[in-house]
Amino acid sequence: MTLPVLPPLLDLTGTAVFALTGALIAARLRQTFVTMAFFALVTGVGGGTVRDLLIGEPVFWLHDPWVAPVILATALVAWFTPSTWWAGKLLLWGDAAGLAVYSVLGTAKALAFDVAPLPAAIVGVISGCVGGIIRDVLAGQPSILMRPELYVTAAALAATLCMGGTLMGLPQGLVWSLAVLAGFVLRGAAVLWKIELPAYSRDA
Amino acid sequence: MTLPVLPPLLDLTGTAVFALTGALIAARLRQTFVTMAFFALVTGVGGGTVRDLLIGEPVFWLHDPWVAPVILATALVAWFTPSTWWAGKLLLWGDAAGLAVYSVLGTAKALAFDVAPLPAAIVGVISGCVGGIIRDVLAGQPSILMRPELYVTAAALAATLCMGGTLMGLPQGLVWSLAVLAGFVLRGAAVLWKIELPAYSRDA
Amino acid sequence: MTLPVLPPLLDLTGTAVFALTGALIAARLRQTFVTMAFFALVTGVGGGTVRDLLIGEPVFWLHDPWVAPVILATALVAWFTPSTWWAGKLLLWGDAAGLAVYSVLGTAKALAFDVAPLPAAIVGVISGCVGGIIRDVLAGQPSILMRPELYVTAAALAATLCMGGTLMGLPQGLVWSLAVLAGFVLRGAAVLWKIELPAYSRDA
């Protein structure tokens, strides 16, 4: 089983988008540049770091010459620009793409290192979502996790399709592309039409 | 030194009980099924995951065919049943048993992998308690850790007895059984009679 | 590249000071001794634990005969003394020294294990600050991270100087000493004169 290699530019763009969402929360909370850089880091690499710790592989950004500089650069851009530039739909769509891509990437990496199928999909969901969860906990904000809007669900769809297609022996490029697309479309639909999952209501 | 092997059914029951406590918090907060499953996962495997990361062993649920399905099944059960079914004492007692068992299991696993005695007992306490702590932090609830009711203390008793008995070379089955029993009885007594530790009060 | 070996007494003093800051938060929140010990542990070893997990080395306090006992002893001292004894400037200065020392130690350890330069400095900052961040999140307090007062910045200065000096091939003892001194002085100045970084204010 091989590991999906994202075109490096796409990969770094995804990291930068995630990092930007972290930096913007720090901006909204009127924080300093150092805090902003810290939030950019945690959000940008948090999910991938937990993924690598879980599967016992070297943490990816410690040996990569680009990830850390890109995150610092993202924090600098966020610092020197009005945050209204980034408040629109662009960031939401970028985040949706990052969510789908990293959920599939995490699942595929876990499968490649012999993690069992269902746990591998869970690792994928964690890769996609945990950076944002840590960001929200640190900021004292209600977490993505607690909002009814579809978010973790889109990650779960992407991860499950990646896991299922790989188990069925379908061509990997096809599996990865379809899984990313499905996660992105579901998250995008949730953003456009505010699709929500039903909440628990079985006790009166 | 050998590792205690729980009868698999008992082990999975413990995981399911912990997972159920996570799912029920999500139910109380009126969350969706996906959030419920996430809380079940974090609570069910959180302590054991941190334990395995600390001692540098493969994370147990990634290579186990049963743990992840049992957690998903637990979340499904929690979703399709009224949470009042689970609100009674049954869950509290199950949680008490899980706390004692995993504290001993964590200590024994750490000792088996050559961790020094006192740190091994600390790893045991972490195994027993950290899943619940992460659950509470994510849910924005006041944590177990901050309530005066005996909880971490019961884990500490079980872990310390396991560490002490093992150091004294007593038969392992005996040590593990007594340590689990002691932790369970102490936590049970705290539940029945609301036993609390004194709070710090040395500054006027 | 060699690893800086702190004189053991200095190293343990640093751990004890960090642990004391954790115990004192628990005292202020009127917690029990067990909670106090837990906070002392998390604050004392949290940063170093995350550092060791990130770089894939054995977690330092699991195989050290002194760290865990020193932390327990610190919690006992905090429990049996009025917290007003510790409320003064002494603790702030000790914390400033610990912050600078561990940021440099973390950077040097990461560089010694072949982490790339910028990530190594980030690992150093994490070593210095994360224990306090986990402490604040668990206690439900606004984190160091979110206060404008220079704190993470002092860690970043110490880590960056350590990384830069090492890259330039300067004598290691000199690099480490100067980096620690610079971080300590900056944090000390922030304490004395309440130096703050500017906050983000680019959106009206």
Side-chain angles (χ1 to χ4, degrees), chain A residues 27 29-32 34-36 38-39 41 49 53 59 61-63 68-69 72 78-83 137-139, chain C residues 53-55 113-116 118-119 122-123 125-126 130 133 137 145-148 152-153 197-203:
Chain A
L29 297 174
R30 293 278 180 280
Q31 295 295 317
T32 68
V34 170
T35 303
M36 195 175 262
F38 198 98
F39 270 85
L41 179 79
T49 301
L53 291 177
V59 173
W61 55 276
L62 294 188
H63 302 279
L72 269 194
W79 179 255
F80 284 112
T81 54
S83 63
V137 166
L138 285 182
Chain C
L53 291 177
L54 287 176
I55 64 181
F113 288 100
D114 289 325
V115 171
L118 184 56
I122 294 174
V123 168
V125 174
I126 290 174
V130 159
I133 292 175
V137 166
L145 203 56
M146 311 294 280
R147 282 180 240 142
V152 182
T153 309
L197 284 185
Y200 182 83
S201 59
R202 239 162 288 268
D203 42 356

Side-chain angles (χ1 to χ4, degrees), chain C residues 2-203:
Chain C
T2 59
L3 205 57
V5 179
L6 279 186
L9 200 66
L10 185 63
D11 193 5
L12 285 171
T13 306
T15 302
V17 169
F18 270 153
L20 190 55
T21 67
L24 291 179
I25 284 220
R28 204 163 65 208
L29 298 173
R30 293 279 179 279
Q31 294 295 317
T32 69
F33 174 71
V34 170
T35 303
M36 193 175 262
F38 198 97
F39 270 87
L41 179 79
V42 162
T43 316
V45 305
T49 301
V50 173
R51 172 199 66 203
D52 290 343
L53 291 177
L54 287 176
I55 64 181
E57 287 301 301
V59 173
F60 72 105
W61 56 276
L62 294 187
H63 302 279
D64 184 292
W66 291 109
V67 175
V70 160
I71 283 176
L72 269 193
T74 304
L76 282 169
V77 167
W79 179 256
F80 285 112
T81 53
S83 63
T84 44
W85 282 22
W86 310 103
K89 291 286 178 196
L90 186 65
L91 192 66
L92 266 179
W93 287 100
D95 184 67
L99 180 72
V101 168
Y102 288 115
S103 300
V104 170
L105 208 61
T107 307
K109 189 166 182 181
L111 287 171
F113 288 100
D114 289 325
V115 171
L118 184 56
I122 294 174
V123 168
V125 174
I126 290 174
S127 301
C129 302
V130 159
I133 292 175
I134 302 177
R135 173 196 66 205
D136 295 342
V137 166
L138 285 182
Q141 306 272 305
S143 152
I144 300 170
L145 203 56
M146 311 294 280
R147 282 180 240 142
E149 199 184 302
L150 284 178
Y151 189 94
V152 182
T153 309
L157 176 67
T160 307
L161 288 178
C162 175
M163 181 260 282
T166 306
L167 281 191
M168 287 158 59
L170 300 181
Q172 300 199 322
L174 180 73
V175 168
W176 296 331
S177 311
L178 285 182
V180 166
L181 192 68
F184 178 71
V185 165
L186 181 57
R187 173 62 190 149
V191 167
L192 283 179
W193 299 299
K194 306 243 174 266
I195 304 176
E196 301 190 351
L197 284 185
Y200 182 83
S201 59
R202 239 162 288 268
D203 42 356

Side-chain angles (χ1 to χ4, degrees), chain A residues 4-77:
Chain A
V5 178
L6 279 186
L9 201 65
L10 184 63
D11 193 5
L12 286 171
T13 307
T15 301
V17 169
F18 270 152
L20 189 55
T21 68
L24 290 179
I25 284 220
R28 204 163 66 207
L29 297 174
R30 293 278 180 280
Q31 295 295 317
T32 68
F33 175 70
V34 170
T35 303
M36 195 175 262
F38 198 98
F39 270 85
L41 179 79
V42 163
T43 316
V45 305
T49 301
V50 173
R51 172 198 68 202
D52 290 343
L53 291 177
L54 287 175
I55 65 182
E57 286 302 301
V59 173
F60 73 105
W61 55 276
L62 294 188
H63 302 279
D64 184 292
W66 292 108
V67 175
V70 160
I71 283 177
L72 269 194
T74 304
L76 282 169
V77 168

Side-chain angles (χ1 to χ4, degrees), chain A residues 54 116 145-146 153 200 202-203, chain B residues 30-31 35 62 79 81 83:
Chain A
L54 287 175
L145 202 58
M146 312 294 281
T153 309
Y200 181 83
R202 240 162 286 269
D203 42 354
Chain B
R30 293 279 179 278
Q31 294 295 317
T35 304
L62 294 188
W79 178 255
T81 54
S83 64

Side-chain angles (χ1 to χ4, degrees), chain A residues 139-166:
Chain A
Q141 305 273 305
S143 153
I144 299 169
L145 202 58
M146 312 294 281
R147 282 180 240 141
E149 199 183 302
L150 284 178
Y151 189 94
V152 183
T153 309
L157 176 67
T160 307
L161 288 178
C162 175
M163 183 259 283
T166 306

Side-chain angles (χ1 to χ4, degrees), chain B residues 26 45 67 143 178:
Chain B
V45 305
V67 174
S143 152
L178 285 182

Side-chain angles (χ1 to χ4, degrees), chain A residues 64-144:
Chain A
D64 184 292
W66 292 108
V67 175
V70 160
I71 283 177
L72 269 194
T74 304
L76 282 169
V77 168
W79 179 255
F80 284 112
T81 54
S83 63
T84 44
W85 283 20
W86 310 102
K89 291 286 178 197
L90 185 67
L91 192 67
L92 267 177
W93 288 99
D95 184 67
L99 180 73
V101 168
Y102 287 115
S103 299
V104 169
L105 207 61
T107 307
K109 188 166 183 181
L111 287 171
F113 287 101
D114 289 325
V115 171
L118 184 56
I122 294 174
V123 168
V125 173
I126 291 173
S127 301
C129 302
V130 159
I133 293 175
I134 302 177
R135 173 197 66 205
D136 294 341
V137 166
L138 285 182
Q141 305 273 305
S143 153
I144 299 169

